[in-house]
Amino acid sequence: MASYQWRPGDLRVMKRALDLARKGSGYTSPNPMVGAVLVKNGRVIGEGWHRRAGDLHAEIEAIRSATQDVEGASIYVTMEPCCHFGRTPPCTKALIEAGIKQVYYASSETEPGIKGEGHLELEAAGIEVRRGPLEEEARHLNRAFFHYLRHNRPYVIAKYSMSLDGRIATYTGASRWITGDAARLETHYLRAQCDALLIGAGTAIADDPELTVRFPDYRRVQPLRVVLDSRGRVPIKAQLFNADIPGKTIVATTNAMDPFHRSELVSKGVEVWTVPPTAEGEISLVPLLEKLMNHDVISLMVEGGAITLGSFFAEELINEVWAFVGARLIGGNQAPGPIGARGVAMLENAPRLDVFNTQKLQDDILIQAKVQPHQSKN
């Protein structure tokens, strides 16, 4: 497979399959986003994408949309076709029965260079199967899914807004608004890509956020809201506990929470999880992430505050950073930065970042970067 020379047409069609896969963003979890394109005699005859977990897979959607007989066609799909029964039947059998002659896929649950069971089953049926092209792009698209498979816990994204001199608030605690309207709207689009949003008790008390996705025409289920509140400090009247706000809120706490406060939360429809505490009495993050994983959360956006982000940073649990940089200068020795706790002692211990996107949003800038794997336990 490594020596196969991909043609410009192959790249063009697979790029189209990736564009189709992105249409499933925010819908398919805990499944990956997948797109598929059918080609026969040099012409596209069918397209499809996985629309949401439990619905038809991209390959079946493409076959059903075909404008002519698919026998003898080639299919380009962003993920290796599955060969097992889940919520839907295996795609490999459907491709074999349809008479597909070539299968090109961009990524797989196996490591690069290793044939998976779906690949082998298709080859055994006499179909030409090749992995690629655009594997790197396909794996980036589903990076949360692949991390979830490998590490058995969610992919953690640290999101924050800061001034150009690295402050998230003034020395008095004022933080609205460091960034402008365009950056705040973009935050909602990014939230919509995640399964859950998390903040600490301090942020919940100081900002009283709804922690929802709000942009025109948003009709999906709201991401799960998670609040770290080891002692039950967030008042029962907080917006997060307002039953009129769509979505579900979970409070992660310890046995230190007052039982009456717990019962009040439960009476308002809030789910309360008791998580083992650290030696300092705070929430143990790894058990919490494992519990979220068991609730089909594969991507988690941590929105602050600095203490909460510092805790994730200290345990090397951050996989990616989304930093909004506002065109402001705040200054002051007492103005907080985005990541609290102790930090690193030596620069060589600081995680290096792989920046994959920068975007100008009016006067502000969004920087998106992955934490380089060799600098993380993840």
Side-chain angles (χ1 to χ4, degrees):
M1 289 189 296
S3 62
Y4 186 80
Q5 296 298 308
W6 295 105
R7 299 160 297 182
D10 296 323
L11 300 175
R12 185 171 59 253
V13 176
M14 189 64 81
K15 185 179 183 301
R16 173 58 183 166
L18 284 167
D19 289 341
L20 290 167
R22 291 186 185 94
K23 293 187 175 186
S25 178
Y27 290 96
T28 64
S29 185
N31 292 349
M33 293 170 274
V34 183
V37 178
L38 275 168
V39 175
K40 188 172 183 179
N41 298 325
R43 294 179 58 251
V44 173
I45 64 168
E47 296 183 337
W49 70 93
H50 185 41
R51 296 171 186 268
R52 57 176 48 84
D55 280 5
L56 296 175
H57 287 191
E59 300 94 316
I60 311 305
E61 286 270 8
I63 290 172
R64 291 195 174 189
S65 75
T67 56
Q68 64 183 80
D69 184 8
V70 302
E71 185 175 359
S74 303
I75 191 166
Y76 294 75
V77 60
T78 58
M79 181 76 76
E80 178 184 1
C82 65
C83 62
H84 56 272
F85 280 90
R87 296 182 183 180
T88 59
C91 294
T92 49
K93 296 196 183 307
L95 295 174
I96 293 168
E97 291 171 0
I100 300 297
K101 70 172 184 178
Q102 293 171 321
V103 174
Y104 303 133
Y105 65 93
S107 61
S108 171
E109 295 181 15
T110 66
E111 291 300 311
I114 299 175
K115 295 180 180 180
E117 293 180 3
H119 184 123
L120 294 171
E121 182 176 322
L122 292 168
E123 276 191 332
I127 296 174
E128 179 187 338
V129 188
R130 295 191 183 278
R131 180 169 178 162
L134 304 184
E135 179 160 10
E136 184 176 342
E137 291 89 334
R139 292 192 70 84
H140 176 77
L141 176 64
N142 283 307
R143 57 197 181 279
F145 172 76
F146 290 120
H147 179 272
Y148 171 81
L149 289 181
R150 183 176 179 185
H151 300 287
N152 274 340
R153 61 176 182 243
Y155 188 83
V156 177
I157 300 160
K159 177 267 171 186
Y160 52 84
S161 299
M162 67 179 187
S163 62
L164 194 56
D165 57 336
R167 269 68 168 185
I168 60 170
T170 68
Y171 73 92
T172 65
S175 61
R176 293 187 178 180
W177 297 102
I178 288 176
T179 55
D181 293 341
R184 294 199 296 276
L185 179 60
E186 187 67 18
T187 292
H188 289 280
Y189 284 105
L190 294 175
R191 280 178 176 177
Q193 298 175 24
C194 298
D195 298 323
L197 314 173
L198 182 147
I199 59 173
T203 299
I205 294 168
D207 296 345
D208 194 23
E210 291 185 13
L211 212 61
T212 55
V213 176
R214 300 184 300 280
F215 60 76
D217 301 323
Y218 183 77
R219 297 291 183 270
R220 308 176 207 168
V221 174
Q222 288 285 338
L224 189 67
R225 297 184 289 268
V226 184
V227 189
L228 304 186
D229 191 6
S230 58
R231 298 171 184 82
R233 296 189 294 128
V234 182
I236 199 69
K237 293 182 180 180
Q239 288 277 68
L240 289 164
F241 309 143
N242 185 342
D244 294 330
I245 293 175
K248 180 179 179 180
T249 299
I250 290 173
V251 172
T253 188
T254 67
N255 286 324
M257 177 182 279
D258 178 71
F260 179 73
H261 186 67
R262 179 192 297 266
S263 65
E264 280 192 306
L265 289 172
V266 172
S267 71
K268 292 177 73 70
V270 177
E271 194 167 327
V272 181
W273 292 356
T274 300
V275 180
T278 64
E280 295 77 26
E282 302 301 327
I283 305 292
S284 292
L285 296 179
V286 171
L288 173 62
L289 291 179
E290 291 172 347
K291 195 170 180 68
L292 286 169
M293 179 200 70
N294 292 331
H295 284 72
D296 287 341
V297 171
I298 69 170
S299 57
L300 172 69
M301 182 196 287
V302 181
E303 295 204 34
I307 293 174
T308 298
L309 282 168
S311 297
F312 276 87
F313 178 79
E315 294 197 37
E316 299 184 26
L317 294 172
I318 296 174
N319 304 108
E320 190 166 310
V321 175
W322 294 349
F324 289 87
V325 183
R328 292 175 180 269
L329 296 174
I330 292 176
N333 292 333
Q334 303 304 313
I339 299 178
R342 190 170 185 175
V344 298
M346 304 296 292
L347 277 176
E348 55 263 33
N349 296 326
R352 296 191 65 86
L353 302 179
D354 175 16
V355 176
F356 63 86
N357 180 54
T358 59
Q359 181 178 350
K360 195 170 188 299
L361 300 163
Q362 293 177 340
D363 291 332
D364 307 320
I365 296 172
L366 167 62
I367 301 171
Q368 293 175 285
K370 299 177 189 176
V371 177
Q372 291 189 356
H374 70 276
Q375 294 288 341
S376 171
K377 293 177 182 176
N378 300 327

